[in-house]
Amino acid sequence: MAAAAAVGDRVLRVKVLVIGGGAREHALCHALSRDPQVTALHCAPGNAGIASLATLHRVDASDGAAVAALAAEVAAGLVVIGPEAPLVAGVADAVRAAGVPVFGPSGQAARLEGSKAFAKEVMAAAGVPTARAHVCTTEAEAAQALDAFGPPYVVKDDGLAAGKGVVVTEDREAAMAHARACGRVVVEEFLDGPEVSLFALTDGTTVVPLQPAQDFKRAHDGDTGPNTGGMGAYSPLPWADPKLVDEVQATVLQPTVDEMRRRGTPFSGLLYAGLALTSRGVRVVEFNARFGDPETQVVLARLRTPLAGLLHAAATGTLAGLPPLSWSDAAAVTVVIASEGYPAGPRTGDPVEGLEEVAAQDAPDAYVLHAGTRLDENGRVVSAGGRVLSVTAVGDGIAQARDRAYRAVGRIRLAGSHHRTDIAARAAAPA
């Protein structure tokens, strides 16, 4: 990691500190560790997998002063904040105030994810196409909104909910129960059509979209079971309109970034648009203010442009000076392995076996990214969360990438674990 690399007309050499400890952060560290622009890589708090790539540090990721102090301690030239909670808490503001470039929006700008009601307000002002919705703070308001839209009912917790704050159901009482449990909710019309995830890097003015991906939110095969943080993903999308990215750039991403800047709260970092390709056109389902998991795994697996220069340019307002992104023609598929009881009540502390077998027999075409793991007192990798691991594989097409991913999944042993067996199955099927 000692060599320098050109970024536009500059040569960048940078120490990077990644904040977070999930599969998304492991994917970021995986890409950054291979980047010749990165001279040292640190992560806090990290996980058992990231430990092999970066120097780990203990820190409260939502404590801005602590993160800024750690950035100074390791002489970081770039801080990358992965999870949403620290962003909404304003950790990026504290790091910027300390004079360190940071990839991630301010606390005010991160409200695009932190409050679905605020996101709807911004979209309305920017003319961004999205579902019709009502913001409800009482049970009576929620009931009225549900009756106005009819089934399927869509009820979203207004605040952060780790990807599990949305209920889509034909059961009105279940929808009402979710509204009562959340308090302030956004009740929306149901959007038909397939969903697509599109990431974009932005420095607050320039917007650079990445390649689209599709993820799988439901816990079980056939899109059944409760919503989760994501059980798998794939990229590219052979069935999508080739003009989709340009359309979303023009009608969703750039107008949103322009509106945030107009409000005096410019958004820099990663803007994630969850999209529904409806019979009436593209509609925004939600915004996130950071890389999404598990889509990050497949998108970064296909990105050829060195990552550190892109993140640094977004953090320093210089994205417009970069050349176009370079992408691999390969396909990528990610399958998430979850612990017993996930998402309702995940069991933790179980040994994870088979990781060495994947490394020995499947690399470099397939590899494991850690999410909810830790090392026990005997140095063994054990489960420490609901989504424990994600297996990412690349191939000449989606079918090959999918085969490689599931072959590697089959080598991993975790008592009581479950995973979906249909990730990317339709996309891999012969036309």
Side-chain angles (χ1 to χ4, degrees):
M1 294 192 295
V7 183
D9 59 356
R10 300 171 297 134
V11 173
L12 178 69
R13 291 172 60 85
V14 64
K15 296 180 180 179
V16 181
L17 169 61
V18 176
I19 301 299
R24 166 187 49 232
E25 288 75 40
H26 195 173
L28 288 164
C29 287
H30 184 265
L32 291 166
S33 70
R34 297 164 177 248
D35 189 336
Q37 300 166 109
V38 178
T39 60
L41 184 58
H42 300 265
C43 187
N47 60 38
I50 297 174
S52 65
L53 302 174
T55 302
L56 300 190
H57 304 266
R58 291 187 177 183
V59 76
D60 178 351
S62 292
D63 184 336
V67 172
L70 177 59
E73 178 185 330
V74 301
L78 174 66
V79 174
V80 180
I81 301 177
E84 59 271 31
L87 291 170
V88 172
V91 170
D93 300 276
V95 177
R96 284 194 185 93
V100 181
V102 56
F103 181 82
S106 67
Q108 284 295 312
R111 290 181 67 206
L112 275 178
E113 178 170 4
S115 170
K116 293 177 178 61
F118 175 73
K120 288 291 187 183
E121 176 188 317
V122 171
M123 283 187 272
V128 170
T130 186
R132 293 177 297 137
H134 294 293
V135 179
C136 306
T137 57
T138 68
E139 187 171 335
E141 289 174 347
Q144 186 175 7
L146 291 174
D147 291 340
F149 289 132
Y153 302 106
V154 181
V155 183
K156 298 181 177 181
D157 190 335
D158 180 52
L160 296 178
K164 297 183 284 291
V166 179
V167 164
V168 181
T169 178
E170 297 277 351
D171 185 337
R172 187 180 183 282
E173 181 48 43
M176 280 301 303
H178 186 62
R180 282 191 292 268
C182 295
R184 180 179 166 96
V185 296
V186 175
V187 177
E188 292 187 355
E189 65 173 331
F190 176 77
L191 296 175
D192 63 336
E195 293 192 10
V196 172
S197 299
L198 184 61
F199 299 152
L201 306 172
T202 179
D203 56 14
T205 301
T206 300
V207 177
V208 178
L210 305 185
Q211 289 288 297
Q214 186 172 61
D215 76 329
F216 295 75
K217 286 282 193 266
R218 298 283 188 166
H220 306 305
D221 286 3
D223 289 328
T224 60
N227 270 329
T228 71
M231 295 299 292
Y234 70 96
S235 179
L237 310 182
W239 48 267
D241 187 332
K243 298 178 181 178
L244 175 63
V245 173
D246 290 340
E247 178 185 352
V248 176
Q249 162 91 347
T251 63
V252 174
L253 300 171
Q254 192 69 58
T256 300
V257 169
D258 291 345
E259 172 63 18
M260 292 297 289
R261 188 174 66 254
R262 187 193 68 78
R263 289 168 174 251
T265 53
F267 186 103
S268 69
L270 195 290
L271 179 60
Y272 164 109
L275 309 166
L277 308 187
T278 78
S279 56
R280 294 175 291 147
V282 174
R283 297 289 186 272
V284 174
V285 176
E286 65 175 350
F287 282 133
N288 287 341
R290 37 77 195 182
F291 279 104
D293 173 11
E295 300 98 320
T296 299
Q297 290 88 302
V298 293
V299 172
L300 293 187
R302 300 183 56 233
L303 179 66
R304 284 179 170 170
T305 302
L307 183 61
L310 298 176
L311 305 186
H312 190 269
T316 56
T318 57
L319 269 180
L322 297 189
L325 302 186
S326 175
W327 295 94
S328 167
D329 291 331
V333 172
T334 287
V335 179
V336 171
I337 298 174
S339 60
E340 181 176 345
Y342 177 78
R347 190 176 78 189
T348 61
D350 293 307
V352 180
E353 300 176 320
L355 300 176
E356 297 83 0
E357 295 172 33
V358 174
Q361 301 182 50
D362 299 292
D365 297 324
Y367 50 91
V368 176
L369 297 171
H370 292 234
T373 66
R374 63 176 177 83
L375 296 177
D376 70 6
E377 61 277 5
N378 298 314
R380 300 180 305 170
V381 176
V382 299
S383 60
R387 291 185 297 166
V388 180
L389 304 166
S390 65
V391 176
T392 298
V394 294
D396 289 336
I398 291 173
Q400 186 181 62
R402 185 174 186 276
D403 288 345
R404 288 172 170 174
Y406 278 107
R407 183 167 61 242
V409 167
R411 302 190 200 281
I412 295 172
R413 299 175 294 281
L414 171 63
S417 66
H418 63 96
H419 63 271
R420 284 185 57 158
T421 65
D422 61 349
I423 303 300
R426 289 186 181 180

